[in-house]
Amino acid sequence: VQLVESGGGLVQAGVSLRLSCAASGLTFSSYSQGWFRQAAGKEREFVAFLTWSGDSTYYADSVKGRFTISRDNAKNSVYLQMNSLKPEDTAVYYCAARKYISGIGGHRDSSNYDYWGQGTQVTVSS
């Protein structure tokens, strides 16, 4: 199984970025997807979650209204649209997958995911 993130970069505050995560080696439509981030010197934190069926999304309070998670099962991909970026959004962003049977409980806990990508750096300058 492989999850590969892309789309990170160095941007100014206020602009948008779209992260992508391409999955292979798993039945993508049977997995719920999450995005997490880890800033330098801090613990990894939950950002967004999308159920395997695509009918429910959850967001961290810090990104609600600015970030949108979505998926394209035909492309085995999950996306994170990030608008109105702030310097405090600077972090390495990781996508993660967990089997649909896990339901939605514990989706904010990184230990409840089965597979992880290698991460992509997002740096937002003020």
Side-chain angles (χ1 to χ4, degrees), residues 15 32 38 62 67 102 105-106 109:
V15 303
S32 296
Q38 188 167 18
S62 59
F67 290 12
S102 299
D109 185 341

Coordinates of all heavy atoms in Angstrom, one line a residue, residues 15 32 38 62 67 102 105-106 109:
V15 N -3.6 33.1 0.5 CA -3.8 32.3 -0.8 C -4.3 30.9 -0.5 O -4.5 30.5 0.6 CB -2.5 32.3 -1.6 CG1 -2.0 33.7 -1.9 CG2 -1.5 31.5 -1.0
S32 N -11.9 5.0 4.6 CA -12.1 6.4 4.9 C -10.7 7.1 4.9 O -9.7 6.5 5.1 CB -12.7 6.6 6.3 OG -14.0 6.0 6.3
Q38 N 1.6 18.2 11.0 CA 2.6 18.3 12.1 C 3.5 19.5 11.9 O 4.3 19.5 11.0 CB 3.4 17.0 12.3 CG 4.3 17.0 13.5 CD 4.8 15.6 13.8 OE1 4.8 14.7 12.9 NE2 5.2 15.3 15.0
S62 N -9.8 24.7 13.9 CA -8.9 25.6 13.4 C -9.0 25.8 11.9 O -8.5 26.8 11.3 CB -7.5 25.3 13.8 OG -7.1 24.0 13.3
F67 N -10.9 24.9 5.0 CA -10.4 23.7 4.3 C -11.6 22.8 3.9 O -12.6 22.8 4.6 CB -9.5 22.9 5.2 CG -8.2 23.6 5.5 CD1 -7.9 24.9 5.2 CD2 -7.2 22.8 6.1 CE1 -6.7 25.5 5.5 CE2 -5.9 23.4 6.4 CZ -5.7 24.7 6.1
S102 N -14.0 0.6 10.5 CA -13.7 1.4 11.7 C -14.7 2.4 12.0 O -14.7 3.0 13.1 CB -12.3 2.0 11.5 OG -11.3 1.1 11.3
G105 N -15.9 6.7 14.6 CA -15.3 6.9 16.0 C -13.8 7.0 16.0 O -13.2 6.2 15.3
G106 N -13.3 7.9 16.7 CA -11.8 7.9 16.8 C -11.1 8.5 15.6 O -9.9 8.3 15.5
D109 N -7.9 10.6 16.1 CA -6.8 9.9 16.7 C -5.9 9.3 15.6 O -6.4 8.4 14.9 CB -7.2 8.9 17.7 CG -6.1 8.3 18.5 OD1 -4.9 8.4 18.1 OD2 -6.4 7.7 19.6

